[in-house]
């Protein structure tokens, strides 16, 4: 779940043996074609009405956070029972935007892209994914170190994605073997062909990338953590 976790588990995260990541369900913010918000700079200029499926949904948590931290102008409409209802609301004109994984958009709503019914405004990750090299990261809205630090706390989990990881205490030679096997698998032609047949979008990351993301989260200052807590309770 996106946000600042308060349980004891993160204390041990830095001791994990990260192997790598195959996919990451990175969310993208899209607006309907009739919305005034068409590019990322518009988020600070115009009110953008976003659908929410609940107070713990990514759309609501991150929209409130960005409003408070960087001055975006999201107006959140709550009460939608699920993604399908939120999407229907956008298509009907009840709201102007939704946030959902790019892979889901491509699979479930390809007609949006073919008919140019939506504007792909931003990606909720630090690094643009391969499919959207020209769609900016929300991090461009963060102008100060504190703003970037808070964004890292909220969007870092999306960068971790769905990783392969070994627990602390595994012998180093076994960790090294798993990492080498993982890297070889990603290069394997049969594996990539199978992923293509299943329409699985690969967004791999090495164990070094994952370690870096975790380390950056632990570099958050007390001030940044306190700011983040206001939006995730």
């Amino acid at each position: 779940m996106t946000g600042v976790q308060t349980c004891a588990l993160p204390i041990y995260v830095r001791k994990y043996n990260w192997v790598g990541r195959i996919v990451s369900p990175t969310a993208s913010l899209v607006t309907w074609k009739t919305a005034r918000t068409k590019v990322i700079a518009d988020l600070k200029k115009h009110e953008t009405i976003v659908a929410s499926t609940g107070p713990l949904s990514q759309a609501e948590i991150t929209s409130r956070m960005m409003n408070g931290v960087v001055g975006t102008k999201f107006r959140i409409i709550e009460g939608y029972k699920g993604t399908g209802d939120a999407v229907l609301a956008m298509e009907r004109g009840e709201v102007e935007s939704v946030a959902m994984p790019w892979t889901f958009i491509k699979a479930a709503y390809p007609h949006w892209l073919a008919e140019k019914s939506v504007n792909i405004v931003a990606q909720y990750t630090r690094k643009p994914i391969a499919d959207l090299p020209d769609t900016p990261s929300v991090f461009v809205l963060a102008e100060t170190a504190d703003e970037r630090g808070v964004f890292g706390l909220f969007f870092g989990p999306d960068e971790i994605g769905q990783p392969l990881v070994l627990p602390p205490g595994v012998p180093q030679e076994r960790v090294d073997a798993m990492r080498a096997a993982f890297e070889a698998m990603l290069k394997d032609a049969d594996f990539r062909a199978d992923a293509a047949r299943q329409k699985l979008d690969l967004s791999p990351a090495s164990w070094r990338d994952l370690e870096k993301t975790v380390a950056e989260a632990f570099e958050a200052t007390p001030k940044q953590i306190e700011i983040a807590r206001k939006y995730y309770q």
Side-chain angles (χ1 to χ4, degrees):
M1 179 179 293
T2 298
V4 181
Q5 302 296 318
T6 58
C7 65
L9 181 60
I11 295 173
Y12 304 101
V13 167
R14 300 187 80 171
K15 297 181 180 179
Y16 290 168
N17 296 291
W18 301 95
V19 176
R21 182 193 73 206
I22 299 176
V23 297
S24 177
T26 300
S28 295
L29 178 73
V30 300
T31 60
W32 198 242
K33 57 188 176 182
T34 54
R36 289 194 298 168
T37 299
K38 299 184 183 301
V39 297
I40 195 167
D42 292 337
L43 292 173
K44 290 187 177 184
K45 297 177 182 178
H46 308 306
E47 180 180 78
T48 306
I49 305 172
V50 61
S52 168
T53 57
L56 293 180
S57 68
Q58 183 181 50
E60 181 153 343
I61 293 172
T62 56
S63 296
R64 290 191 187 282
M65 181 274 293
M66 288 192 289
N67 283 354
V69 175
V70 298
T72 53
K73 298 182 178 181
F74 287 107
R75 178 154 70 93
I76 301 163
I77 304 298
E78 300 177 330
Y80 296 103
K81 295 180 180 179
T83 300
D85 286 347
V87 165
L88 186 58
M90 183 175 71
E91 292 178 329
R92 287 175 171 174
E94 296 173 16
V95 300
E96 298 173 323
S97 64
V98 295
M100 62 178 66
W102 169 245
T103 52
F104 183 66
I105 293 172
K106 287 203 310 180
Y109 305 103
H111 57 287
W112 285 356
L113 307 177
E115 298 167 7
K116 298 183 178 180
S117 297
V118 294
N119 308 294
I120 307 168
V121 176
Q123 301 179 53
Y124 285 2
T125 184
R126 205 182 315 257
K127 300 177 181 177
I129 58 178
D131 273 4
L132 300 172
D134 299 322
T135 300
S137 160
V138 289
F139 277 80
V140 304
L141 297 172
E143 298 177 354
T144 70
D146 282 338
E147 291 172 357
R148 289 188 290 271
V150 173
F151 270 37
L153 289 170
F154 277 86
F155 299 116
D158 280 353
E159 294 182 7
I160 293 291
Q162 299 172 343
L164 299 176
V165 62
L166 297 172
V170 174
Q172 188 61 46
E173 61 269 19
R174 189 172 302 171
V175 174
D176 293 341
M178 287 287 291
R179 288 170 172 169
F182 178 81
E183 291 179 0
M185 178 189 70
L186 291 177
K187 297 175 183 177
D188 183 77
D190 290 338
F191 168 77
R192 300 188 75 87
D194 188 52
R197 282 194 296 272
Q198 297 184 51
K199 297 183 179 180
L200 177 65
D201 283 333
L202 301 179
S203 53
S206 71
W207 64 269
R208 296 178 185 85
D209 294 330
L210 299 178
E211 278 194 352
K212 181 180 179 181
T213 297
V214 171
E216 288 173 347
F218 278 87
E219 291 171 0
T221 66
K223 179 182 178 182
Q224 293 164 5
I225 293 171
E226 190 59 33
I227 293 171
R229 286 187 192 280
K230 293 192 298 184
Y231 303 102
Y232 190 81
Q233 299 177 358

